[in-house]
Amino acid sequence: MGKRLVAPSLLAADFANLQRDVEMVNQSEADWFHLDIMDGVFVPNISFGMPVVKAIAEHAKKTLDVHLMIVDPDRYIKTFADLGSNNLTVHYEACIHLHRTLQAIKAEGMKAGVALNPHTSVTVLEDTIQDIDLVCLMSVNPGFGGQSFIENTYQKVSDLKNIIKRKNSSTLIEIDGGVNATNAKKLVDAGADILVAGSFVFKSEHPTETIKNLKETIA
Ligand code: DX5
Ligand code: ZN
């Protein structure tokens, strides 16, 4: 059994009430904060940058799980470490020298994550899996919250789990995009450890309850 964590994505928070939403996550049963950084180049959207991450970090009392959807992420590894990121996830598709990038992230004292777009096979990680702390499987095309979950993800989770076991690695599997009460249980049953949830949490009537229920669903 994995660790089964829930990581609300602040992309779906109310940016005019960011402190309120950060405190909500602090008080809830959520495990991590998931922060989505988009550069308008790697993905067709721009989210938020360093000043906002800094503001979040000042209030957040849980692990900061930062997901970089940017080209050439090596340029900002130190910046995000200095901002207080605990996990730094880069996209496989954005890294020419992934192995070097992973070492650089760890050298800054962070956990190293690799995200895969829906079109990227998990098999590309066979030779680096032992160097990866977490793999973030995108279950939507990155760039926007509120999209529908891609069903092929279940198969990718179990294929990735098999690679992790075969290589005797302790890599965690995170699922990002379209996560909700309908797919959560099936995802952890397939081998997922961490579920990112944006809209499902923040657009719900009672986010704290939604997080609690999601944790119960995957317990
Ligand atoms: C998408 C982001 C996700 C997003 C998830 O590019 O990486 O983290 O916030 O949002 P939902 O849960 O609404 O699909
Ligand atoms: Zn994300």
Side-chain angles (χ1 to χ4, degrees):
M1 206 206 291
K3 292 171 84 179
R4 302 184 163 189
L5 309 179
V6 168
S9 166
L10 288 181
L11 188 64
D14 177 356
F15 289 167
N17 289 286
L18 202 45
Q19 185 177 354
R20 181 200 66 192
D21 285 358
V22 169
E23 292 300 350
M24 183 283 290
V25 175
N26 281 339
Q27 302 306 321
S28 77
E29 289 180 32
D31 300 278
W32 293 354
F33 287 87
H34 184 83
L35 308 187
D36 290 302
I37 311 299
M38 306 178 183
D39 66 354
V41 180
F42 182 73
V43 287
N45 195 14
I46 296 173
S47 57
F48 50 81
M50 289 74 173
V52 175
V53 174
K54 186 167 181 281
I56 293 168
E58 274 162 19
H59 298 283
K61 295 194 177 78
K62 296 176 178 180
T63 294
L64 293 187
D65 180 48
V66 177
H67 176 193
L68 297 183
M69 284 159 273
I70 66 174
V71 296
D72 200 1
D74 302 67
R75 294 171 297 164
Y76 295 108
I77 291 172
K78 189 173 181 325
T79 305
F80 280 97
D82 292 345
L83 284 166
S85 311
N86 302 100
N87 308 336
L88 195 64
T89 295
V90 295
H91 265 265
Y92 170 83
E93 301 84 2
C95 294
I96 297 172
H97 298 287
L98 180 65
H99 186 271
R100 180 182 292 154
T101 304
L102 294 170
Q103 306 311 320
I105 293 172
K106 291 182 189 175
E108 291 295 340
M110 298 178 287
K111 299 278 186 203
V114 177
L116 297 183
N117 279 337
H119 74 270
T120 304
S121 167
V122 296
T123 56
V124 300
L125 299 180
E126 294 237 5
D127 294 301
T128 38
I129 199 75
Q130 280 149 328
D131 299 296
I132 303 173
D133 294 306
L134 81 89
V135 174
C136 175
L137 291 180
M138 293 308 302
S139 38
V140 298
N141 284 294
F144 303 91
Q147 303 180 82
S148 335
F149 180 82
I150 297 172
E151 297 286 323
N152 181 50
T153 309
Y154 301 116
Q155 187 59 50
K156 289 180 81 169
V157 177
S158 58
D159 290 347
L160 176 60
K161 194 76 183 177
N162 284 335
I163 294 173
I164 292 168
K165 281 189 191 151
R166 183 156 43 80
K167 299 278 184 176
N168 225 340
S169 182
S170 53
T171 313
L172 299 176
I173 302 176
E174 178 177 65
I175 310 299
D176 189 7
V179 169
N180 56 39
T182 313
N183 50 34
K185 176 85 169 69
K186 209 170 155 190
L187 285 165
V188 296
D189 285 349
D193 303 289
I194 307 130
L195 302 183
V196 173
S199 314
F200 181 64
V201 166
F202 287 100
K203 309 295 179 208
S204 71
E205 215 175 317
H206 302 292
T208 316
E209 281 294 302
T210 304
I211 292 167
K212 187 176 194 292
N213 294 338
L214 196 53
K215 284 284 286 186
E216 272 166 20
T217 308
I218 63 173

PDB file of all heavy atoms in Angstrom, residues 44-79:
ATOM      1  N   PRO A  44       0.006  26.105 -23.004  1.00  0.00           N
ATOM      2  CA  PRO A  44      -0.640  27.318 -23.537  1.00  0.00           C
ATOM      3  C   PRO A  44      -1.399  28.104 -22.459  1.00  0.00           C
ATOM      4  O   PRO A  44      -2.565  28.450 -22.628  1.00  0.00           O
ATOM      5  CB  PRO A  44      -1.593  26.749 -24.597  1.00  0.00           C
ATOM      6  CG  PRO A  44      -1.924  25.384 -24.109  1.00  0.00           C
ATOM      7  CD  PRO A  44      -0.712  24.880 -23.369  1.00  0.00           C
ATOM      8  N   ASN A  45      -0.725  28.368 -21.351  1.00  0.00           N
ATOM      9  CA  ASN A  45      -1.348  29.143 -20.277  1.00  0.00           C
ATOM     10  C   ASN A  45      -0.247  29.652 -19.351  1.00  0.00           C
ATOM     11  O   ASN A  45       0.824  29.045 -19.262  1.00  0.00           O
ATOM     12  CB  ASN A  45      -2.326  28.249 -19.493  1.00  0.00           C
ATOM     13  CG  ASN A  45      -3.271  29.037 -18.609  1.00  0.00           C
ATOM     14  OD1 ASN A  45      -3.405  30.260 -18.741  1.00  0.00           O
ATOM     15  ND2 ASN A  45      -3.931  28.351 -17.695  1.00  0.00           N
ATOM     16  N   ILE A  46      -0.529  30.738 -18.672  1.00  0.00           N
ATOM     17  CA  ILE A  46       0.399  31.289 -17.676  1.00  0.00           C
ATOM     18  C   ILE A  46      -0.349  31.279 -16.348  1.00  0.00           C
ATOM     19  O   ILE A  46      -1.500  31.724 -16.281  1.00  0.00           O
ATOM     20  CB  ILE A  46       0.820  32.727 -18.053  1.00  0.00           C
ATOM     21  CG1 ILE A  46       1.600  32.723 -19.382  1.00  0.00           C
ATOM     22  CG2 ILE A  46       1.666  33.348 -16.940  1.00  0.00           C
ATOM     23  CD1 ILE A  46       1.926  34.107 -19.926  1.00  0.00           C
ATOM     24  N   SER A  47       0.281  30.740 -15.294  1.00  0.00           N
ATOM     25  CA  SER A  47      -0.446  30.667 -14.019  1.00  0.00           C
ATOM     26  C   SER A  47       0.036  31.765 -13.081  1.00  0.00           C
ATOM     27  O   SER A  47      -0.473  32.887 -13.127  1.00  0.00           O
ATOM     28  CB  SER A  47      -0.316  29.274 -13.392  1.00  0.00           C
ATOM     29  OG  SER A  47       1.040  28.925 -13.211  1.00  0.00           O
ATOM     30  N   PHE A  48       1.000  31.452 -12.256  1.00  0.00           N
ATOM     31  CA  PHE A  48       1.537  32.456 -11.334  1.00  0.00           C
ATOM     32  C   PHE A  48       3.019  32.174 -11.131  1.00  0.00           C
ATOM     33  O   PHE A  48       3.503  31.087 -11.437  1.00  0.00           O
ATOM     34  CB  PHE A  48       0.774  32.452  -9.995  1.00  0.00           C
ATOM     35  CG  PHE A  48       0.619  31.087  -9.368  1.00  0.00           C
ATOM     36  CD1 PHE A  48       1.655  30.529  -8.629  1.00  0.00           C
ATOM     37  CD2 PHE A  48      -0.562  30.364  -9.503  1.00  0.00           C
ATOM     38  CE1 PHE A  48       1.518  29.271  -8.036  1.00  0.00           C
ATOM     39  CE2 PHE A  48      -0.704  29.099  -8.914  1.00  0.00           C
ATOM     40  CZ  PHE A  48       0.339  28.555  -8.186  1.00  0.00           C
ATOM     41  N   GLY A  49       3.720  33.166 -10.596  1.00  0.00           N
ATOM     42  CA  GLY A  49       5.172  33.029 -10.472  1.00  0.00           C
ATOM     43  C   GLY A  49       5.677  33.203  -9.062  1.00  0.00           C
ATOM     44  O   GLY A  49       4.940  32.992  -8.078  1.00  0.00           O
ATOM     45  N   MET A  50       6.920  33.603  -8.956  1.00  0.00           N
ATOM     46  CA  MET A  50       7.630  33.598  -7.677  1.00  0.00           C
ATOM     47  C   MET A  50       6.975  34.420  -6.566  1.00  0.00           C
ATOM     48  O   MET A  50       6.915  33.947  -5.437  1.00  0.00           O
ATOM     49  CB  MET A  50       9.084  34.057  -7.847  1.00  0.00           C
ATOM     50  CG  MET A  50       9.949  33.055  -8.565  1.00  0.00           C
ATOM     51  SD  MET A  50       9.558  33.049 -10.310  1.00  0.00           S
ATOM     52  CE  MET A  50      10.814  31.993 -10.950  1.00  0.00           C
ATOM     53  N   PRO A  51       6.510  35.647  -6.820  1.00  0.00           N
ATOM     54  CA  PRO A  51       5.926  36.412  -5.697  1.00  0.00           C
ATOM     55  C   PRO A  51       4.722  35.704  -5.077  1.00  0.00           C
ATOM     56  O   PRO A  51       4.511  35.772  -3.856  1.00  0.00           O
ATOM     57  CB  PRO A  51       5.502  37.736  -6.348  1.00  0.00           C
ATOM     58  CG  PRO A  51       6.320  37.837  -7.590  1.00  0.00           C
ATOM     59  CD  PRO A  51       6.525  36.432  -8.065  1.00  0.00           C
ATOM     60  N   VAL A  52       3.963  35.025  -5.915  1.00  0.00           N
ATOM     61  CA  VAL A  52       2.788  34.307  -5.405  1.00  0.00           C
ATOM     62  C   VAL A  52       3.225  33.064  -4.625  1.00  0.00           C
ATOM     63  O   VAL A  52       2.686  32.766  -3.557  1.00  0.00           O
ATOM     64  CB  VAL A  52       1.814  33.957  -6.565  1.00  0.00           C
ATOM     65  CG1 VAL A  52       0.654  33.107  -6.065  1.00  0.00           C
ATOM     66  CG2 VAL A  52       1.307  35.238  -7.228  1.00  0.00           C
ATOM     67  N   VAL A  53       4.228  32.362  -5.138  1.00  0.00           N
ATOM     68  CA  VAL A  53       4.742  31.193  -4.411  1.00  0.00           C
ATOM     69  C   VAL A  53       5.277  31.637  -3.047  1.00  0.00           C
ATOM     70  O   VAL A  53       5.042  30.991  -2.030  1.00  0.00           O
ATOM     71  CB  VAL A  53       5.845  30.468  -5.219  1.00  0.00           C
ATOM     72  CG1 VAL A  53       6.471  29.334  -4.397  1.00  0.00           C
ATOM     73  CG2 VAL A  53       5.281  29.930  -6.525  1.00  0.00           C
ATOM     74  N   LYS A  54       5.960  32.774  -3.047  1.00  0.00           N
ATOM     75  CA  LYS A  54       6.513  33.299  -1.787  1.00  0.00           C
ATOM     76  C   LYS A  54       5.385  33.593  -0.795  1.00  0.00           C
ATOM     77  O   LYS A  54       5.465  33.232   0.385  1.00  0.00           O
ATOM     78  CB  LYS A  54       7.306  34.577  -2.084  1.00  0.00           C
ATOM     79  CG  LYS A  54       8.053  35.158  -0.903  1.00  0.00           C
ATOM     80  CD  LYS A  54       9.041  36.231  -1.391  1.00  0.00           C
ATOM     81  CE  LYS A  54       9.841  36.821  -0.241  1.00  0.00           C
ATOM     82  NZ  LYS A  54       9.072  37.822   0.514  1.00  0.00           N
ATOM     83  N   ALA A  55       4.331  34.201  -1.285  1.00  0.00           N
ATOM     84  CA  ALA A  55       3.190  34.538  -0.420  1.00  0.00           C
ATOM     85  C   ALA A  55       2.535  33.266   0.126  1.00  0.00           C
ATOM     86  O   ALA A  55       2.173  33.193   1.310  1.00  0.00           O
ATOM     87  CB  ALA A  55       2.172  35.371  -1.201  1.00  0.00           C
ATOM     88  N   ILE A  56       2.402  32.269  -0.725  1.00  0.00           N
ATOM     89  CA  ILE A  56       1.814  30.993  -0.283  1.00  0.00           C
ATOM     90  C   ILE A  56       2.711  30.354   0.774  1.00  0.00           C
ATOM     91  O   ILE A  56       2.246  29.917   1.832  1.00  0.00           O
ATOM     92  CB  ILE A  56       1.618  30.036  -1.487  1.00  0.00           C
ATOM     93  CG1 ILE A  56       0.542  30.586  -2.436  1.00  0.00           C
ATOM     94  CG2 ILE A  56       1.262  28.619  -1.004  1.00  0.00           C
ATOM     95  CD1 ILE A  56       0.471  29.883  -3.786  1.00  0.00           C
ATOM     96  N   ALA A  57       4.023  30.346   0.497  1.00  0.00           N
ATOM     97  CA  ALA A  57       4.978  29.688   1.398  1.00  0.00           C
ATOM     98  C   ALA A  57       4.975  30.324   2.787  1.00  0.00           C
ATOM     99  O   ALA A  57       5.228  29.647   3.783  1.00  0.00           O
ATOM    100  CB  ALA A  57       6.382  29.737   0.795  1.00  0.00           C
ATOM    101  N   GLU A  58       4.667  31.613   2.831  1.00  0.00           N
ATOM    102  CA  GLU A  58       4.644  32.289   4.136  1.00  0.00           C
ATOM    103  C   GLU A  58       3.518  31.783   5.041  1.00  0.00           C
ATOM    104  O   GLU A  58       3.594  31.883   6.259  1.00  0.00           O
ATOM    105  CB  GLU A  58       4.507  33.810   3.934  1.00  0.00           C
ATOM    106  CG  GLU A  58       5.869  34.449   3.714  1.00  0.00           C
ATOM    107  CD  GLU A  58       5.803  35.835   3.088  1.00  0.00           C
ATOM    108  OE1 GLU A  58       4.722  36.462   3.139  1.00  0.00           O
ATOM    109  OE2 GLU A  58       6.835  36.265   2.543  1.00  0.00           O
ATOM    110  N   HIS A  59       2.466  31.259   4.435  1.00  0.00           N
ATOM    111  CA  HIS A  59       1.312  30.808   5.224  1.00  0.00           C
ATOM    112  C   HIS A  59       1.168  29.286   5.277  1.00  0.00           C
ATOM    113  O   HIS A  59       0.591  28.749   6.214  1.00  0.00           O
ATOM    114  CB  HIS A  59       0.023  31.422   4.664  1.00  0.00           C
ATOM    115  CG  HIS A  59       0.028  32.919   4.744  1.00  0.00           C
ATOM    116  ND1 HIS A  59      -0.211  33.587   5.931  1.00  0.00           N
ATOM    117  CD2 HIS A  59       0.276  33.871   3.818  1.00  0.00           C
ATOM    118  CE1 HIS A  59      -0.125  34.895   5.711  1.00  0.00           C
ATOM    119  NE2 HIS A  59       0.182  35.094   4.449  1.00  0.00           N
ATOM    120  N   ALA A  60       1.684  28.607   4.261  1.00  0.00           N
ATOM    121  CA  ALA A  60       1.476  27.158   4.162  1.00  0.00           C
ATOM    122  C   ALA A  60       2.250  26.407   5.240  1.00  0.00           C
ATOM    123  O   ALA A  60       3.417  26.708   5.490  1.00  0.00           O
ATOM    124  CB  ALA A  60       1.906  26.681   2.784  1.00  0.00           C
ATOM    125  N   LYS A  61       1.573  25.457   5.873  1.00  0.00           N
ATOM    126  CA  LYS A  61       2.217  24.680   6.938  1.00  0.00           C
ATOM    127  C   LYS A  61       2.445  23.229   6.523  1.00  0.00           C
ATOM    128  O   LYS A  61       2.725  22.385   7.359  1.00  0.00           O
ATOM    129  CB  LYS A  61       1.353  24.722   8.200  1.00  0.00           C
ATOM    130  CG  LYS A  61       1.222  26.106   8.810  1.00  0.00           C
ATOM    131  CD  LYS A  61       0.662  26.025  10.236  1.00  0.00           C
ATOM    132  CE  LYS A  61       0.583  27.383  10.895  1.00  0.00           C
ATOM    133  NZ  LYS A  61      -0.592  28.158  10.409  1.00  0.00           N
ATOM    134  N   LYS A  62       2.255  22.940   5.234  1.00  0.00           N
ATOM    135  CA  LYS A  62       2.446  21.568   4.762  1.00  0.00           C
ATOM    136  C   LYS A  62       3.409  21.569   3.574  1.00  0.00           C
ATOM    137  O   LYS A  62       3.743  22.644   3.051  1.00  0.00           O
ATOM    138  CB  LYS A  62       1.088  20.984   4.363  1.00  0.00           C
ATOM    139  CG  LYS A  62       0.136  20.874   5.559  1.00  0.00           C
ATOM    140  CD  LYS A  62      -1.247  20.385   5.200  1.00  0.00           C
ATOM    141  CE  LYS A  62      -2.077  20.272   6.478  1.00  0.00           C
ATOM    142  NZ  LYS A  62      -3.449  19.804   6.229  1.00  0.00           N
ATOM    143  N   THR A  63       3.818  20.391   3.200  1.00  0.00           N
ATOM    144  CA  THR A  63       4.742  20.215   2.071  1.00  0.00           C
ATOM    145  C   THR A  63       4.325  21.006   0.843  1.00  0.00           C
ATOM    146  O   THR A  63       3.160  20.958   0.429  1.00  0.00           O
ATOM    147  CB  THR A  63       4.796  18.704   1.723  1.00  0.00           C
ATOM    148  OG1 THR A  63       5.388  18.024   2.826  1.00  0.00           O
ATOM    149  CG2 THR A  63       5.586  18.429   0.459  1.00  0.00           C
ATOM    150  N   LEU A  64       5.276  21.723   0.257  1.00  0.00           N
ATOM    151  CA  LEU A  64       5.014  22.447  -0.991  1.00  0.00           C
ATOM    152  C   LEU A  64       5.480  21.590  -2.165  1.00  0.00           C
ATOM    153  O   LEU A  64       6.678  21.354  -2.342  1.00  0.00           O
ATOM    154  CB  LEU A  64       5.750  23.792  -1.018  1.00  0.00           C
ATOM    155  CG  LEU A  64       5.305  24.873  -0.041  1.00  0.00           C
ATOM    156  CD1 LEU A  64       6.026  26.182  -0.349  1.00  0.00           C
ATOM    157  CD2 LEU A  64       3.789  25.086  -0.088  1.00  0.00           C
ATOM    158  N   ASP A  65       4.522  21.137  -2.934  1.00  0.00           N
ATOM    159  CA  ASP A  65       4.754  20.248  -4.064  1.00  0.00           C
ATOM    160  C   ASP A  65       4.618  21.103  -5.330  1.00  0.00           C
ATOM    161  O   ASP A  65       3.513  21.434  -5.743  1.00  0.00           O
ATOM    162  CB  ASP A  65       3.672  19.146  -4.008  1.00  0.00           C
ATOM    163  CG  ASP A  65       3.776  18.133  -5.108  1.00  0.00           C
ATOM    164  OD1 ASP A  65       4.892  17.629  -5.349  1.00  0.00           O
ATOM    165  OD2 ASP A  65       2.722  17.812  -5.717  1.00  0.00           O
ATOM    166  N   VAL A  66       5.778  21.464  -5.889  1.00  0.00           N
ATOM    167  CA  VAL A  66       5.765  22.423  -7.003  1.00  0.00           C
ATOM    168  C   VAL A  66       5.908  21.693  -8.342  1.00  0.00           C
ATOM    169  O   VAL A  66       6.840  20.909  -8.540  1.00  0.00           O
ATOM    170  CB  VAL A  66       6.885  23.471  -6.816  1.00  0.00           C
ATOM    171  CG1 VAL A  66       6.919  24.431  -8.002  1.00  0.00           C
ATOM    172  CG2 VAL A  66       6.689  24.236  -5.507  1.00  0.00           C
ATOM    173  N   HIS A  67       4.982  21.971  -9.232  1.00  0.00           N
ATOM    174  CA  HIS A  67       4.913  21.325 -10.543  1.00  0.00           C
ATOM    175  C   HIS A  67       5.256  22.365 -11.607  1.00  0.00           C
ATOM    176  O   HIS A  67       4.466  23.257 -11.890  1.00  0.00           O
ATOM    177  CB  HIS A  67       3.472  20.786 -10.712  1.00  0.00           C
ATOM    178  CG  HIS A  67       3.196  20.163 -12.040  1.00  0.00           C
ATOM    179  ND1 HIS A  67       1.912  19.864 -12.457  1.00  0.00           N
ATOM    180  CD2 HIS A  67       4.010  19.771 -13.045  1.00  0.00           C
ATOM    181  CE1 HIS A  67       1.953  19.320 -13.662  1.00  0.00           C
ATOM    182  NE2 HIS A  67       3.206  19.262 -14.038  1.00  0.00           N
ATOM    183  N   LEU A  68       6.458  22.237 -12.163  1.00  0.00           N
ATOM    184  CA  LEU A  68       6.912  23.202 -13.171  1.00  0.00           C
ATOM    185  C   LEU A  68       6.473  22.766 -14.564  1.00  0.00           C
ATOM    186  O   LEU A  68       6.966  21.760 -15.092  1.00  0.00           O
ATOM    187  CB  LEU A  68       8.439  23.323 -13.142  1.00  0.00           C
ATOM    188  CG  LEU A  68       9.095  23.860 -11.872  1.00  0.00           C
ATOM    189  CD1 LEU A  68      10.609  23.978 -12.080  1.00  0.00           C
ATOM    190  CD2 LEU A  68       8.498  25.207 -11.465  1.00  0.00           C
ATOM    191  N   MET A  69       5.595  23.537 -15.164  1.00  0.00           N
ATOM    192  CA  MET A  69       5.224  23.303 -16.562  1.00  0.00           C
ATOM    193  C   MET A  69       5.891  24.397 -17.378  1.00  0.00           C
ATOM    194  O   MET A  69       5.246  25.320 -17.890  1.00  0.00           O
ATOM    195  CB  MET A  69       3.694  23.333 -16.710  1.00  0.00           C
ATOM    196  CG  MET A  69       3.045  22.064 -16.187  1.00  0.00           C
ATOM    197  SD  MET A  69       1.308  22.288 -15.797  1.00  0.00           S
ATOM    198  CE  MET A  69       1.475  22.862 -14.113  1.00  0.00           C
ATOM    199  N   ILE A  70       7.221  24.316 -17.419  1.00  0.00           N
ATOM    200  CA  ILE A  70       8.017  25.363 -18.062  1.00  0.00           C
ATOM    201  C   ILE A  70       9.136  24.726 -18.880  1.00  0.00           C
ATOM    202  O   ILE A  70       9.571  23.614 -18.564  1.00  0.00           O
ATOM    203  CB  ILE A  70       8.638  26.337 -17.021  1.00  0.00           C
ATOM    204  CG1 ILE A  70       9.686  25.638 -16.139  1.00  0.00           C
ATOM    205  CG2 ILE A  70       7.546  26.929 -16.119  1.00  0.00           C
ATOM    206  CD1 ILE A  70      10.433  26.583 -15.200  1.00  0.00           C
ATOM    207  N   VAL A  71       9.581  25.425 -19.914  1.00  0.00           N
ATOM    208  CA  VAL A  71      10.728  24.933 -20.677  1.00  0.00           C
ATOM    209  C   VAL A  71      12.004  25.227 -19.890  1.00  0.00           C
ATOM    210  O   VAL A  71      12.048  26.164 -19.086  1.00  0.00           O
ATOM    211  CB  VAL A  71      10.808  25.575 -22.094  1.00  0.00           C
ATOM    212  CG1 VAL A  71       9.602  25.166 -22.932  1.00  0.00           C
ATOM    213  CG2 VAL A  71      10.925  27.086 -22.027  1.00  0.00           C
ATOM    214  N   ASP A  72      13.005  24.418 -20.120  1.00  0.00           N
ATOM    215  CA  ASP A  72      14.331  24.608 -19.516  1.00  0.00           C
ATOM    216  C   ASP A  72      14.258  24.877 -18.001  1.00  0.00           C
ATOM    217  O   ASP A  72      14.733  25.914 -17.513  1.00  0.00           O
ATOM    218  CB  ASP A  72      15.035  25.781 -20.239  1.00  0.00           C
ATOM    219  CG  ASP A  72      16.548  25.757 -20.032  1.00  0.00           C
ATOM    220  OD1 ASP A  72      17.037  24.819 -19.356  1.00  0.00           O
ATOM    221  OD2 ASP A  72      17.216  26.684 -20.518  1.00  0.00           O
ATOM    222  N   PRO A  73      13.656  23.969 -17.257  1.00  0.00           N
ATOM    223  CA  PRO A  73      13.429  24.205 -15.825  1.00  0.00           C
ATOM    224  C   PRO A  73      14.703  24.357 -14.999  1.00  0.00           C
ATOM    225  O   PRO A  73      14.666  24.929 -13.908  1.00  0.00           O
ATOM    226  CB  PRO A  73      12.636  22.975 -15.377  1.00  0.00           C
ATOM    227  CG  PRO A  73      12.929  21.930 -16.395  1.00  0.00           C
ATOM    228  CD  PRO A  73      13.152  22.652 -17.674  1.00  0.00           C
ATOM    229  N   ASP A  74      15.827  23.895 -15.537  1.00  0.00           N
ATOM    230  CA  ASP A  74      17.104  23.994 -14.799  1.00  0.00           C
ATOM    231  C   ASP A  74      17.394  25.434 -14.360  1.00  0.00           C
ATOM    232  O   ASP A  74      18.027  25.660 -13.335  1.00  0.00           O
ATOM    233  CB  ASP A  74      18.269  23.502 -15.669  1.00  0.00           C
ATOM    234  CG  ASP A  74      18.068  22.074 -16.112  1.00  0.00           C
ATOM    235  OD1 ASP A  74      17.128  21.830 -16.906  1.00  0.00           O
ATOM    236  OD2 ASP A  74      18.801  21.199 -15.646  1.00  0.00           O
ATOM    237  N   ARG A  75      16.915  26.394 -15.141  1.00  0.00           N
ATOM    238  CA  ARG A  75      17.165  27.820 -14.845  1.00  0.00           C
ATOM    239  C   ARG A  75      16.603  28.239 -13.489  1.00  0.00           C
ATOM    240  O   ARG A  75      17.038  29.233 -12.922  1.00  0.00           O
ATOM    241  CB  ARG A  75      16.488  28.701 -15.912  1.00  0.00           C
ATOM    242  CG  ARG A  75      17.070  28.573 -17.297  1.00  0.00           C
ATOM    243  CD  ARG A  75      16.201  29.309 -18.295  1.00  0.00           C
ATOM    244  NE  ARG A  75      14.860  28.722 -18.386  1.00  0.00           N
ATOM    245  CZ  ARG A  75      13.807  29.324 -18.932  1.00  0.00           C
ATOM    246  NH1 ARG A  75      13.915  30.538 -19.418  1.00  0.00           N
ATOM    247  NH2 ARG A  75      12.635  28.703 -18.984  1.00  0.00           N
ATOM    248  N   TYR A  76      15.584  27.514 -13.007  1.00  0.00           N
ATOM    249  CA  TYR A  76      14.871  27.993 -11.811  1.00  0.00           C
ATOM    250  C   TYR A  76      14.926  27.050 -10.614  1.00  0.00           C
ATOM    251  O   TYR A  76      14.199  27.252  -9.643  1.00  0.00           O
ATOM    252  CB  TYR A  76      13.413  28.295 -12.179  1.00  0.00           C
ATOM    253  CG  TYR A  76      13.299  29.445 -13.154  1.00  0.00           C
ATOM    254  CD1 TYR A  76      12.948  29.223 -14.477  1.00  0.00           C
ATOM    255  CD2 TYR A  76      13.580  30.741 -12.744  1.00  0.00           C
ATOM    256  CE1 TYR A  76      12.864  30.277 -15.381  1.00  0.00           C
ATOM    257  CE2 TYR A  76      13.498  31.804 -13.634  1.00  0.00           C
ATOM    258  CZ  TYR A  76      13.143  31.564 -14.955  1.00  0.00           C
ATOM    259  OH  TYR A  76      13.069  32.610 -15.830  1.00  0.00           O
ATOM    260  N   ILE A  77      15.757  26.016 -10.680  1.00  0.00           N
ATOM    261  CA  ILE A  77      15.808  25.037  -9.581  1.00  0.00           C
ATOM    262  C   ILE A  77      16.179  25.723  -8.267  1.00  0.00           C
ATOM    263  O   ILE A  77      15.503  25.562  -7.253  1.00  0.00           O
ATOM    264  CB  ILE A  77      16.798  23.898  -9.915  1.00  0.00           C
ATOM    265  CG1 ILE A  77      16.231  23.049 -11.063  1.00  0.00           C
ATOM    266  CG2 ILE A  77      17.070  23.033  -8.681  1.00  0.00           C
ATOM    267  CD1 ILE A  77      17.184  22.020 -11.622  1.00  0.00           C
ATOM    268  N   LYS A  78      17.213  26.527  -8.292  1.00  0.00           N
ATOM    269  CA  LYS A  78      17.659  27.183  -7.063  1.00  0.00           C
ATOM    270  C   LYS A  78      16.599  28.179  -6.559  1.00  0.00           C
ATOM    271  O   LYS A  78      16.336  28.261  -5.358  1.00  0.00           O
ATOM    272  CB  LYS A  78      19.001  27.887  -7.286  1.00  0.00           C
ATOM    273  CG  LYS A  78      19.564  28.384  -5.971  1.00  0.00           C
ATOM    274  CD  LYS A  78      20.954  28.944  -6.058  1.00  0.00           C
ATOM    275  CE  LYS A  78      21.501  29.399  -4.724  1.00  0.00           C
ATOM    276  NZ  LYS A  78      20.531  29.971  -3.802  1.00  0.00           N
ATOM    277  N   THR A  79      15.998  28.886  -7.485  1.00  0.00           N
ATOM    278  CA  THR A  79      14.956  29.856  -7.110  1.00  0.00           C
ATOM    279  C   THR A  79      13.833  29.178  -6.335  1.00  0.00           C
ATOM    280  O   THR A  79      13.405  29.669  -5.284  1.00  0.00           O
ATOM    281  CB  THR A  79      14.370  30.508  -8.387  1.00  0.00           C
ATOM    282  OG1 THR A  79      15.444  31.059  -9.135  1.00  0.00           O
ATOM    283  CG2 THR A  79      13.367  31.585  -8.051  1.00  0.00           C
TER     284      THR A  79
END
